[in-house]
Amino acid sequence: MTHEPSTSRTSRRSVLGLLSSVPVAAGLLAAGRPAQAEASTFRSIPADLRPGGKFDRFVADQAAKDLFSGVVLLAYQGRPVLRRACGMANKAASLPNRLDTRFDLASVTKAFTAVAVAQLAQQRKIAFHEKIGTYLQGFPAEIGQTVTVHQLLTHTSGIGRPAVGTEPPTRPEWDTVQKLWDGTAKAIRALPPQFTPGTQYRYSNDGFFLLGEIVATVSGRSYYDYVREHIFAPAGMTHSDFFTKPQVTADPTIARPYATQRSGPRVDFTTSDFFPFVGGPHRGAYCSATDVLGFVRALRNGTLLSPAYAELFTTAKMIMPPSEQQGLTREHLFYGYGFIDAIVNGRHVVGHSGGSAGAANNLDTFPGQNWVAMIFGNYDTPIAPIVEMARQIIT
């Protein structure tokens, strides 16, 4: 069951947040906090992370070289300390990216799907050990009675196309939400397993699409409505939604995706037949950086999940091969349930990356240091150098 995504109302409301192992209330900037306390907090921020500092200048340089277009947001103890918008949201209309511009988050969307599953698991409506045939129909026994919810969450199910990162197919004739949803579900069910479930890690967008199907089946709501009502709304994410292709092309507050990994001019990917009509559980939520900061806050202050379930879903479950995050320094790299869990310079980093044609994103939270770093872009030029610099300075 699905419903047509609706356009979110535009809001200037600022939502602050952080992902921290300490109680969130202790780290957030409370309303009416004395200016003296704010000044003290700012003094504790490394000069390299302040406006005009080393990191800020590097982002500006990348943008000047046309290697980055998007928004960067750094927050410390719940307070944004650096916010920069670079490049153009719509080149044809000469519209620049703004701090409230909404970006295609690509695979960062998986974090929302994982939280939806976690909420239903917390209510004991979904069990991690259960086979997907318990919730979904149409699979052969070798998949439906073998693959578990845990394996879908950890990319160890064997379901999906062989190429890492390949998305479920999309076709021009899938020009409604229902057609795309039904067509994708049918295509996934026609695939043979890549390997015996539980024996390998292989990133699978298709597996996360099935998790969205499970959310819809168990909750009795469409996946889109469930996320709107149980994640976006309680987290105060008033700028966020799953927008259709017509909405993306008509809304000036949404950044157009520009395919840059090819020769020639930047190409607006919305003009391609391969641009999907709407995103889904595996990718394609559109959010502002401030909204994602609100999501991080709601994840850790008990609004979305109990602390035990938030900890369960965001921490390591399955080791990831080094090839998964090329260009980034890390000592250990694991996948949790819809979250990547890494050790960088002896520090814990939790979040998710996301990339597709015209999108390059990264969400990093530093639980032991009260930092959040977000880089959301509407180029698919790799942002690893920006992510790496933020990580090295923060850790």
Side-chain angles (χ1 to χ4, degrees):
M1 178 175 61
T2 61
H3 295 280
E4 195 78 10
S6 60
T7 304
S8 297
R9 290 178 301 152
T10 301
S11 170
R12 296 182 180 272
R13 180 182 178 187
S14 176
V15 185
L16 305 181
L18 75 164
L19 187 62
S20 175
S21 58
V22 300
V24 171
L28 290 175
L29 186 65
R33 182 175 179 176
Q36 181 179 358
E38 292 188 21
S40 176
T41 297
F42 189 79
R43 283 195 296 271
S44 66
I45 298 168
D48 285 347
L49 295 176
R50 297 181 186 181
K54 179 180 178 180
F55 178 75
D56 194 11
R57 295 194 306 271
F58 182 71
V59 171
D61 181 66
Q62 292 291 102
K65 294 176 180 176
D66 205 27
L67 296 176
F68 176 69
S69 173
V71 166
V72 168
L73 189 154
L74 302 181
Y76 178 65
Q77 291 188 352
R79 176 190 177 191
V81 297
L82 176 63
R83 291 180 285 188
R84 286 288 178 263
C86 309
M88 305 299 292
N90 187 327
K91 294 178 183 292
S94 299
L95 295 176
N97 282 318
R98 296 159 42 100
L99 295 178
D100 60 354
T101 296
R102 295 180 271 202
F103 293 89
D104 173 6
L105 296 191
S107 285
V108 178
T109 305
K110 290 181 174 67
F112 304 145
T113 300
V115 170
V117 173
Q119 289 174 338
L120 295 169
Q122 185 173 303
Q123 299 168 28
R124 300 191 177 183
K125 295 179 179 179
I126 291 178
F128 304 126
H129 70 278
E130 284 290 0
K131 311 301 189 293
I132 63 173
T134 303
Y135 309 105
L136 304 177
Q137 298 179 344
F139 290 95
E142 63 178 330
I143 294 177
Q145 299 305 314
T146 303
V147 174
T148 66
V149 172
H150 166 83
Q151 290 164 348
L152 292 177
L153 285 164
T154 55
H155 299 288
T156 59
S157 70
I159 291 176
R161 264 145 292 281
V164 173
T166 299
E167 300 169 8
T170 187
R171 301 175 183 171
E173 62 268 26
W174 294 352
D175 56 1
T176 68
V177 176
Q178 197 67 55
K179 286 180 182 178
L180 185 140
W181 187 272
D182 293 344
T184 303
K186 182 179 180 180
I188 293 173
R189 283 163 171 76
L191 296 170
Q194 295 184 58
F195 53 83
T196 302
T199 62
Q200 298 182 38
Y201 171 94
R202 194 172 299 176
Y203 194 84
S204 175
N205 285 312
D206 294 342
F208 262 75
F209 182 90
L210 296 182
L211 288 169
E213 278 200 85
I214 292 173
V215 168
T217 299
V218 172
S219 69
R221 303 287 288 161
S222 78
Y223 167 80
Y224 303 105
D225 284 343
Y226 183 91
V227 172
R228 289 190 195 106
E229 295 164 6
H230 297 275
I231 297 176
F232 291 166
M237 300 172 68
T238 56
H239 262 55
S240 302
D241 209 337
F242 290 86
F243 295 104
T244 64
K245 183 174 181 177
Q247 290 173 326
V248 171
T249 56
D251 193 331
T253 70
I254 298 175
R256 297 289 186 92
Y258 290 97
T260 60
Q261 296 302 289
R262 63 186 71 184
S263 60
R266 307 311 197 198
V267 178
D268 182 348
F269 188 57
T270 62
T271 63
S272 168
D273 287 342
F274 295 100
F275 186 79
F277 184 79
V278 71
H282 62 300
R283 59 138 294 164
Y286 285 82
C287 305
S288 67
T290 301
D291 269 13
V292 176
L293 205 52
F295 166 73
V296 173
R297 175 190 182 183
L299 183 61
R300 281 303 187 185
N301 68 9
T303 297
L304 297 178
L305 291 170
S306 71
Y309 276 84
E311 182 75 12
L312 173 68
F313 266 68
T314 58
T315 50
K317 302 291 181 295
M318 186 69 188
I319 192 167
M320 296 173 66
S323 61
E324 287 295 319
Q325 283 199 35
Q326 294 181 357
L328 294 177
T329 302
R330 71 274 182 193
E331 294 151 38
H332 300 286
L333 185 67
F334 291 84
Y335 205 87
Y337 284 161
F339 291 83
I340 294 172
D341 189 1
I343 302 295
V344 178
N345 292 331
R347 300 285 191 170
H348 203 197
V349 182
V350 174
H352 210 289
S353 58
S356 63
N361 311 291
N362 196 75
L363 167 64
D364 275 345
T365 63
F366 301 79
Q369 298 174 273
N370 294 333
W371 278 95
V372 178
M374 286 183 280
I375 299 96
F376 298 149
N378 59 325
Y379 282 0
D380 49 38
T381 304
I383 58 173
I386 301 176
V387 176
E388 178 71 5
M389 178 172 283
R391 286 183 172 187
Q392 292 303 317
I393 297 174
I394 291 172
T395 60

